[in-house]
Amino acid sequence: MNERQEEILKAVVEEYVRTAEPVASKALVERYDLDVSSATVRNDMAILEMEGYIRQPHTSAGRVPTEKGYSHYISKFARRDASPASAQKLRQVVEQSADPEETIRMVARELVELTGDMAIAAFGPDRGYFTGMGSLLAKPDFQNLEVMRSMSLMLDRFDEVVQGVFAQLQDEPQVMLGSENPFGKDTAAVVVKCRLPDGRIGLLGLVGPMRMNYQKNLGLIEEIVDILEE
């Protein structure tokens, strides 16, 4: 992949995250400063599709990122970015409660408000908590009945899933995508181990579509870890 094709992949991911609609070359030329013709963008998109970074979901002219495309975008372009206002809201939540577990539950609920994704938490390796399922299922990515069924089955064994994730997590926020995501092959998760206010090690994260805003979600998860450790 050359530099221009990387920029086109970046634009496809960010436009799809923004609109939830397949992305056409014309939209990229109009919205992004690519400095090339529509024909060149179409050609590069054909190459990206051939190499497995984007795909055509149906007979429209638009393309959407694949798991491989998202993975490349995250490794190359996803910078952690939490707004000062969001960081302040999380800080206020942490300062409101003296009970460690209630603090984490309140943080999880605030993360749902800030992202529209499902927030997950664990108090140690074997007791999980989730909130925001309604927000998640309201997204267009989850209108497919099979995807909804898969999510429901995962939630039936949520504590078991969290236990497995907890065992493999590092201290830095980690992105799990699609086929490698135990929370669902049609989803992405941003998760991290964190120190609870009483000193125990817990888990916090966000589960959403692969179309989630990685820069924002990584930034929020990193921000809350920093706040909890202060």
Side-chain angles (χ1 to χ4, degrees):
M1 194 190 309
N2 61 36
E3 187 175 336
R4 187 183 66 232
Q5 289 160 359
E6 281 198 326
E7 284 300 313
I8 290 171
L9 175 61
K10 178 177 182 287
V12 169
V13 171
E14 293 180 357
E15 186 71 359
Y16 187 56
V17 166
R18 189 181 72 84
T19 67
E21 295 289 340
V23 182
S25 57
K26 185 172 183 285
L28 295 185
V29 171
E30 290 175 352
R31 185 170 179 84
Y32 294 84
D33 187 23
L34 298 175
D35 198 30
V36 291
S37 68
S38 263
T40 299
V41 173
R42 280 196 301 273
N43 184 61
D44 280 338
M45 288 177 77
I47 292 169
L48 289 169
E49 184 173 11
M50 185 175 63
E51 294 181 352
Y53 291 98
I54 59 176
R55 65 182 178 85
Q56 188 175 26
H58 43 75
T59 54
S60 75
R63 304 292 189 276
V64 301
T66 63
E67 185 177 322
K68 181 179 178 180
Y70 283 117
S71 181
H72 187 87
Y73 172 85
I74 292 163
S75 64
K76 186 84 176 181
F77 298 112
R79 305 290 179 260
R80 294 162 188 184
D81 181 24
S83 72
S86 296
Q88 182 60 27
K89 285 183 179 180
L90 290 171
R91 188 176 299 278
Q92 289 171 349
V93 167
V94 171
E95 292 171 351
Q96 280 174 10
S97 174
D99 177 78
E101 292 192 10
E102 180 58 22
T103 297
I104 297 304
R105 283 191 285 265
M106 289 171 63
V107 165
R109 291 193 287 269
E110 184 62 34
L111 287 171
V112 173
E113 290 295 319
L114 291 170
T115 66
D117 292 323
M118 182 172 76
I120 59 174
F123 316 106
D126 58 0
R127 191 155 58 88
Y129 170 80
F130 64 87
T131 182
M133 185 65 173
S135 296
L136 194 64
L137 293 183
K139 292 177 183 280
D141 317 74
F142 293 92
Q143 299 310 300
N144 181 290
L145 287 177
E146 185 55 36
V147 173
M148 293 173 67
R149 179 176 177 274
S150 176
M151 286 295 295
S152 297
L153 290 173
M154 182 278 293
L155 293 177
D156 285 343
R157 44 189 288 273
F158 183 71
D159 284 349
E160 178 189 337
V161 174
V162 166
Q163 187 174 5
V165 171
F166 195 93
Q168 63 174 318
L169 272 186
Q170 308 298 317
D171 292 332
E172 288 292 315
Q174 182 176 337
V175 178
M176 296 183 291
L177 276 179
S179 60
E180 297 181 352
N181 181 15
F183 294 103
K185 64 181 178 60
D186 299 293
T187 70
V190 178
V191 288
V192 70
K193 279 185 178 177
C194 61
R195 188 170 297 279
L196 305 185
D198 61 358
R200 284 181 293 163
I201 301 299
L203 174 151
L204 268 172
L206 287 160
V207 177
M210 282 195 278
R211 190 182 55 83
M212 72 160 53
N213 187 329
Y214 293 99
Q215 298 195 135
K216 179 179 182 179
N217 288 3
L218 281 164
L220 289 169
I221 293 298
E222 191 169 73
E223 189 70 38
I224 193 60
V225 169
D226 290 343
I227 292 169
L228 290 170
E229 290 181 348
E230 288 176 1

